[in-house]
Amino acid sequence: MNSSLENWIGRLQTDRMELCTTLSGIPEEQFTRPSQPGKWSIAEIVAHLITADRLSLEYMKKKSGAIETVGDAGWFEDFKMLAFTISQRIPIKYNAPKGVLQNTPRSIELSNLSNDWNAILQDYKIFLEGIPEQYTRRKIYKHPILGRIDARLCLQTLHEHYHHHLPQIKRLL
C-alpha cells in the first residue's frame, strides 16, 4: 500500500481505537442519552461517523472500477483540503449530507463499536492495497463539499470529520 495511504489508515485506526477505549468505560445509558431533546447522543454521533466511513468506502470501491479513466488530484485538491481542514476545526455546526443521514442508524450498540470500526478499517486496507501505485492520486471519491478527490484526501476528510465531532462527544462524557 502507498505509504501516504498507510499513514492515514493508521491515524484513523488510532483515533477510533482511542475513542472506543474511552467509551468502553461509560454506562450504556450515558452512551444513548442526548444532552437535550433534539440533540444527538454519543451513540448517534458514533453511528454517523461509522456510516460516513462505510459509505465513503463503498463509493470509492464503485468508482475504482474505472480508475484508469479518471484524472489525478493535484495542488488544487490539496488546497481545497486545507480549507476543508480549517472549516472542520472551527466550532460551526454543519448539516450532514442527506445520503449519510438516510443511511445512519439511530444508534449503535456500545459493545459492537470496536468490532464495527475494525471491520470497516480492515475493508479500507484491503481495498487500498489493491490500488496500483500509479493510480493512488486518481479522483475516485466525490466529497459533498470538496468535489472529486483521491483516496488519500478521502481518508484525510474522514480524519477531519472525526475530529470535528470529537468535542461534541467529549461534552457528553
Side-chain angles (χ1 to χ4, degrees), residues 18 73 79 81 102 112 119 121 124 128 130 134 153 161:
E18 285 176 359
F79 176 76
M81 186 65 223
Q102 290 172 339
N112 296 338
L121 289 173
Y124 267 101
L128 295 170
Q134 71 267 27
L153 293 175
H161 183 229

Side-chain angles (χ1 to χ4, degrees), residues 18-87:
E18 285 176 359
L19 182 59
C20 288
T21 300
T22 300
L23 296 178
S24 68
I26 69 170
E28 185 77 28
E29 190 273 329
Q30 182 181 4
F31 184 65
T32 58
R33 182 189 69 237
S35 62
Q36 48 186 279
K39 299 287 184 182
W40 281 0
S41 67
I42 296 172
E44 291 169 314
I45 297 166
V46 171
H48 166 74
L49 291 169
I50 288 173
T51 300
D53 288 359
R54 182 179 48 78
L55 291 176
S56 296
L57 177 59
E58 288 174 7
Y59 187 91
M60 282 198 296
K61 283 180 175 180
K62 182 175 122 181
K63 291 301 179 182
S64 68
I67 199 166
E68 302 88 11
T69 64
V70 296
D72 287 341
W75 68 268
F76 186 62
E77 286 77 19
D78 290 336
F79 176 76
K80 289 191 297 185
M81 186 65 223
L82 175 62
F84 178 77
T85 299
I86 293 167
S87 77

Side-chain angles (χ1 to χ4, degrees), residues 15 49 88-89 158-167:
D15 288 343
L49 291 169
Q88 293 298 290
R89 298 292 173 105
L158 296 176
H159 173 78
E160 292 303 329
H161 183 229
Y162 168 84
H163 283 280
H164 177 75
H165 284 288
L166 192 57

Side-chain angles (χ1 to χ4, degrees), residues 109-123:
E109 295 292 323
L110 184 55
S111 59
N112 296 338
L113 179 58
S114 182
N115 290 337
D116 290 350
W117 252 331
N118 280 334
I120 291 170
L121 289 173
Q122 188 60 35
D123 286 348

